[in-house]
């Protein structure tokens, strides 16, 4: 079943029935209450990320894939730097140079909720290749990515974190 426009799938099965998929449960970090879900589905060599967050402050919040699949630190520092298997500089997705983990900004409304969807042929799920996102962490930041500051876009504290796991 297709997800509604602008709304993340309610379940992994809805995201991609019988297909190749992964998920990350986003848990609050750095004293925040931000939580959410990232669902990744792969079809025809393209991976779609549907990311939804709640209990966030209204405005823009950067979301990135980080190198290490470890969200145990209270401030999510255990997730390490942005995932950049190509060793590119940080930037805006689709406008080279950029990290393969530079997803962009989620716009959060007055209700504290926000979603972002990205579809790409630059990622894979569970392949073990250099472009495999499984085993990395997805991190939501307190502020927006400015798309220029090195190495991470000056997006502030890590307010939510989850490890991408194959399902």
């Amino acid at each position: 079943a297709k997800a509604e426009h602008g709304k993340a799938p309610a379940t992994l099965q809805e995201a991609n029935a019988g297909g190749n998929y992964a998920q990350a449960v986003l848990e609050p970090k750095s004293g925040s209450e931000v939580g959410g879900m990232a669902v990744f589905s792969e079809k025809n060599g393209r991976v779609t990320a549907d990311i939804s967050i709640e209990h966030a402050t209204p405005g823009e919040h950067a979301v990135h894939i980080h190198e290490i699949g470890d969200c145990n630190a209270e401030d999510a520092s255990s997730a390490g730097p942005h995932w950049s298997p190509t060793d590119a500089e940080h930037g805006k997705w689709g406008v080279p140079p950029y990290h393969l983990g530079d997803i962009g900004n989620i716009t959060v409304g007055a209700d504290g909720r926000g979603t972002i969807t990205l579809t790409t042929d630059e990622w894979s799920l569970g392949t073990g290749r250099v472009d495999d996102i499984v085993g990395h962490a997805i991190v939501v930041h307190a502020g927006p990515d400015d798309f220029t500051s090195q190495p991470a876009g000056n997006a502030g504290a890590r307010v939510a974190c989850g490890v991408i796991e194959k399902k």
Side-chain angles (χ1 to χ4, degrees):
K2 272 283 198 199
E4 222 176 281
H5 180 70
K7 179 174 174 264
T11 66
L12 290 174
Q13 289 73 25
E14 183 184 323
N16 193 8
N20 190 14
Y21 50 90
Q23 76 172 24
V25 177
L26 300 170
E27 297 181 343
K29 294 293 171 183
S30 303
S32 84
E33 294 181 12
V34 178
M37 177 72 77
V39 177
F40 302 89
S41 56
E42 187 171 25
K43 198 177 288 184
N44 302 324
R46 295 175 63 79
V47 175
T48 297
D50 286 299
I51 303 160
S52 59
I53 60 171
E54 58 187 7
H55 306 297
T57 56
E60 301 284 309
H61 293 271
V63 60
H64 305 117
I65 296 174
H66 284 246
E67 183 67 36
I68 303 166
D70 181 348
C71 292
N72 290 320
E74 191 281 326
D75 63 356
S77 60
S78 52
H82 289 185
W83 175 59
S84 182
T86 60
D87 289 326
E89 285 198 342
H90 173 73
K92 186 173 185 175
W93 183 270
V95 184
Y98 57 92
H99 297 147
L100 285 186
D102 288 342
I103 294 173
N105 291 326
I106 292 178
T107 301
V108 174
D111 63 357
R113 297 175 184 270
T115 62
I116 190 170
T117 299
L118 172 70
T119 300
T120 180
D121 61 3
E122 295 190 71
W123 296 342
S124 68
L125 297 180
T127 62
R129 298 189 320 232
V130 69
D131 64 355
D132 187 354
I133 63 172
V134 173
H136 296 287
I138 187 159
V139 173
V140 178
H141 292 268
D145 188 327
D146 66 12
F147 303 122
T148 55
S149 298
Q150 299 300 324
N154 196 30
R158 301 172 184 199
V159 295
C161 184
V163 177
I164 303 169
E165 299 175 329
K166 191 92 172 358
K167 294 294 175 187

